[in-house]
Amino acid sequence: MLRNRVLAVLLLLIAFVALVLSHTFPFLDNLSELEETAIAVGGAVCGLAGVSLWLRKAPQQDDSPPPA
């Protein structure tokens, strides 16, 4: 569970950086439209994967004894 949360935070951080890059930095004006789109799509995918990992539930453990 902890591994999923750490990975989710990293993916959300990557998504945030992609969002910031796509909207604020002027050096992206030199990139082609395809490269700007790839940054935006990559950020969106990382964001969705991060949210999915964050919301994933841990497997439930059954407290009943195994069948004999």
Side-chain angles (χ1 to χ4, degrees):
M1 183 71 172
L2 181 63
R3 183 186 55 149
N4 284 349
R5 293 286 169 106
V6 170
L7 186 57
V9 168
L10 289 175
L11 286 170
L12 290 170
L13 183 63
I14 291 170
F16 178 73
V17 169
L19 176 71
V20 169
L21 283 176
S22 66
H23 289 290
T24 59
F25 287 104
F27 67 84
L28 287 179
D29 292 338
N30 298 334
L31 294 178
S32 69
E33 189 72 26
L34 181 63
E35 291 169 332
E36 290 178 12
T37 303
I39 290 172
V41 169
V45 168
C46 286
L48 290 174
V51 169
S52 173
L53 282 173
W54 187 267
L55 296 177
R56 183 176 294 179
K57 292 183 180 180
Q60 303 248 342
Q61 295 201 1
D62 191 14
D63 292 335
S64 63

